[in-house]
Amino acid sequence: MGVALAQFQSTPSKEENLEKISKIISRLSGISLVVFPEFTDLLAPSDISRERLYELAEYDDSQFIRGVRRVAMEHGIWVAVGVYERSDEFPRVHSSVYIIGADGELRAKYRKSHLFDALGHKESDWLKPGDEPPLMVDVEGFRLGVIVCYEMRFPELARYVALSGADALIVPSAWYRGYNKEEQWLTLTKARALENTMYVLTSNQIGNTFAGISVAVDPAGVMVARATEEEGAVEARVDQGRISRVRAALPLLEQRRPELYQYK
């Protein structure tokens, strides 16, 4: 299956962001799924109030979500897109990933459950965490798991996805730049792929305060695609034969002894 990873620079204009989504998708060929980063819908100004952000956040029938659905249907492609989504706890919002089918229908949604309260940031001041495990979704015969950005630091989530039968882990992200942050991202991405013998496919924000480094890593921890320092999309292929061969040589999931891993 062909997957495109869109490295995207969000702006404060939803209309401009939707137009960029359309342009990126229109350039793709032979791709089944395109993944856009966390917060693709909006670059929230640093001084925005929580109340204003809630007002701007998406919901299932928001204009932005309808626009993405229309683009997906026009091009016959699945779309995973990270957005701010209104929660039921005003004025906090969710960091959510909408999964839209090639027919333009909303197929699934995941709300980030582990928030970035670290390194001087406190997402929980304005984000509400989700309370569900990583999303599992089937796309054209492939099983995909979904987590978001900071959740890459929690190996339990990726292992849940692998044990749920995933071929690949999809990770929309807005990874901040900073000392050693780029190296951390690459290390985490490779580790999550290698320890679970599955693909890890990341789509990251670029520019503003974000690091970029949208990458695809195969089940043996080999980086098979990497974006440049610019906006655009890189393509990778998820190959179930490659997964089978790696798992035959490196049967990590079969060799687990979960009875030894109980916390006391």
Side-chain angles (χ1 to χ4, degrees):
M1 178 176 67
V3 179
L5 308 175
Q7 186 158 274
F8 196 88
Q9 183 170 348
S10 291
T11 77
S13 167
K14 290 189 181 185
E15 293 77 13
E16 183 177 339
N17 295 333
L18 185 59
E19 179 63 24
K20 289 203 291 183
I21 288 173
S22 181
K23 286 182 179 179
I24 287 173
I25 291 177
S26 70
R27 300 188 188 109
L28 301 175
S29 178
I31 296 297
S32 299
L33 167 70
V34 57
V35 184
F36 288 90
E38 186 180 22
F39 309 140
T40 293
D41 59 329
L42 180 68
L43 175 66
S46 59
D47 60 350
I48 193 171
S49 70
R50 296 198 305 167
E51 291 76 15
R52 177 57 176 161
L53 182 58
Y54 188 93
E55 179 183 338
L56 292 172
E58 311 307 328
Y59 49 94
D60 289 359
D61 195 40
S62 71
Q63 184 175 347
F64 182 85
I65 295 299
R66 290 200 308 269
V68 177
R69 291 177 58 189
R70 181 178 63 254
V71 173
M73 183 173 61
E74 287 174 353
H75 293 276
I77 191 169
W78 285 72
V79 177
V81 59
V83 299
Y84 292 104
E85 183 199 11
R86 293 179 184 177
S87 79
D88 58 1
E89 186 183 302
F90 178 85
R92 291 206 293 173
V93 296
H94 294 292
S95 172
S96 297
V97 178
Y98 277 71
I99 308 294
I100 297 167
D103 56 2
E105 294 299 314
L106 174 59
R107 297 300 185 88
K109 179 168 55 180
Y110 174 68
R111 292 166 174 161
K112 184 179 181 180
S113 59
H114 294 61
L115 302 183
F116 184 31
D117 285 3
L119 299 177
H121 297 270
K122 195 172 183 183
E123 280 189 336
S124 59
D125 281 346
W126 46 284
L127 289 186
K128 179 179 179 180
D131 292 318
E132 298 293 331
L135 174 68
M136 303 300 302
V137 61
D138 295 315
V139 176
E140 298 189 0
F142 290 80
R143 190 151 176 79
L144 310 176
V146 180
I147 62 173
V148 179
C149 197
Y150 183 62
E151 296 184 319
M152 190 79 89
R153 294 187 183 274
F154 297 86
E156 299 90 342
L157 300 179
R159 180 52 55 89
Y160 172 94
V161 166
L163 295 179
S164 298
D167 298 300
L169 175 66
I170 306 298
V171 195
S173 303
W175 192 263
Y176 284 107
R177 295 195 303 260
Y179 176 73
N180 206 38
K181 291 293 296 301
E182 291 83 357
E183 186 67 26
Q184 291 175 21
W185 180 250
L186 291 173
T187 298
L188 291 166
T189 303
K190 292 178 182 179
R192 297 295 88 86
L194 182 56
E195 68 198 7
N196 293 294
T197 54
M198 66 181 175
Y199 287 87
V200 174
L201 309 172
T202 73
S203 172
N204 215 335
Q205 289 271 355
I206 187 70
N208 300 310
T209 58
F210 302 111
I213 320 181
S214 299
V215 297
V217 180
D218 87 349
V222 177
M223 190 183 304
V224 294
R226 175 173 175 167
T228 69
E229 76 284 1
E230 300 175 340
E231 273 192 308
V234 295
E235 299 179 9
R237 304 203 72 81
V238 178
D239 181 350
Q240 291 172 332
R242 171 65 169 163
I243 298 171
S244 296
R245 293 191 296 274
V246 170
R247 290 182 175 176
L250 198 62
L252 301 178
L253 298 180
E254 294 180 8
Q255 293 174 334
R256 295 173 61 253
R257 297 183 62 189
E259 71 278 6
L260 302 181
Y261 313 148
Q262 300 302 315
Y263 297 105
K264 298 180 180 178

